[in-house]
Amino acid sequence: MSIKGKYPESTPLYVGFLSAGVVAAIAAFIIVMNVAPASEKVDKTPETTTTTTAAQPVGFEVDDALAEEMKDAAQELVANNYEVLSLYYIHGMDHKDEPYGNTPEDGYYTVDSDEYTSLAQLEELVDSTFLTEQARTVKSNPLSYGPIYKERNNGDLGIIANFTPMDYDISWENPQFSIEPQSETDCVINITLHNRTSGDEVKLAGEMTKTEEGWRLKTILF
């Protein structure tokens, strides 16, 4: 599919997650952005850099304005996807111990984070990244043992006491992705990552679609 038209030489920072620079070329653009999840535990991975390249114009074509909109949406959604992946699936967040080292009666420890202090913040991130059904799964039962986060009785943000990160051996450091518009409201995102152990390439593909609230991913990208 295709992207046509020229792209500006720079684009603003996406707050908290990424920075971007755009260099115009004959039929492609390149974007660099930082994906630095605030949710990672003590064994943090380094800041990651994402390079994005647009496909050659060989199929469905969109005008310059929509092409720019899709590019910006894909850039933001890929960063948000990794943040959600980190928060809900592969890292979680640090927590505060209960008094005297007790197990929390409600099954949730209080989150120890300056970045996320309320359930509403997390749910806003999820809802602004995914379509309704996928967002509901992330919030309510992402790892098949209930919601990872909840608001505790005292109003604190809580993380489930038995949080067990999923096995995940894929590195998001220096990924590359291309966007392929399918229509004016749908676009495929192809991502190339690497196996953390072997270094082999790992190919992911997802779809984003335009809603009344903006662009959303149809599923979480692992």
Side-chain angles (χ1 to χ4, degrees):
M1 304 305 171
S2 70
I3 294 285
K4 67 176 182 178
K6 296 181 180 179
Y7 296 86
E9 293 184 353
S10 64
T11 187
L13 292 179
Y14 175 65
V15 178
F17 299 109
L18 53 92
S19 63
V22 182
V23 180
I26 294 175
F29 59 80
I30 297 177
I31 305 167
V32 177
M33 70 180 181
N34 292 323
V35 181
S39 59
E40 292 177 340
K41 289 186 173 291
V42 176
D43 56 339
K44 292 182 180 180
T45 56
E47 269 193 3
T48 59
T49 301
T50 302
T51 302
T52 308
T53 56
Q56 295 284 340
V58 292
F60 184 82
E61 295 188 0
V62 295
D63 62 30
D64 290 354
L66 184 54
E68 184 74 10
E69 179 183 328
M70 286 179 167
K71 176 206 68 178
D72 290 343
Q75 180 180 336
E76 181 174 330
L77 290 174
V78 169
N80 284 357
N81 178 86
Y82 182 66
E83 180 74 353
V84 172
L85 182 62
S86 179
L87 287 165
Y88 284 83
Y89 294 86
I90 62 176
H91 292 111
M93 285 193 281
D94 291 331
H95 65 78
K96 301 175 182 178
D97 290 335
E98 292 288 283
Y100 311 109
N102 292 332
T103 300
E105 292 183 2
D106 63 355
Y108 287 78
Y109 288 105
T110 294
V111 166
D112 186 7
S113 170
D114 294 329
E115 181 73 18
Y116 296 103
T117 58
S118 72
L119 184 63
Q121 285 178 290
L122 292 176
E123 293 191 340
E124 181 180 1
L125 170 65
V126 175
D127 290 339
S128 66
T129 305
F130 305 104
L131 293 179
T132 301
E133 184 175 350
Q134 177 65 80
R136 184 183 300 115
T137 297
V138 171
K139 292 183 292 185
S140 65
N141 196 27
L143 294 171
S144 300
Y145 50 80
I148 302 302
Y149 301 99
K150 80 166 192 175
E151 183 175 307
R152 303 191 71 189
N153 293 334
N154 62 359
D156 289 343
L157 174 63
I159 183 170
I160 197 166
N162 65 335
F163 177 73
T164 305
M166 64 180 288
D167 290 333
Y168 193 76
D169 198 29
I170 297 174
S171 171
W172 283 70
E173 186 174 0
N174 298 321
Q176 294 184 342
F177 72 87
S178 64
I179 58 173
E180 300 179 16
Q182 305 297 297
S183 71
E184 293 186 350
T185 57
D186 289 281
C187 183
V188 169
I189 306 175
N190 296 302
I191 306 177
T192 301
L193 305 170
H194 291 85
N195 183 279
R196 193 179 300 277
T197 302
S198 67
D200 293 340
E201 286 190 351
V202 177
K203 303 284 189 179
L204 299 181
E207 295 178 80
M208 68 176 187
T209 190
K210 190 173 185 179
T211 72
E212 292 182 357
E213 292 75 32
W215 290 89
R216 299 291 187 271
L217 290 173
K218 292 185 178 181
T219 60
I220 189 165
L221 306 179
F222 290 98

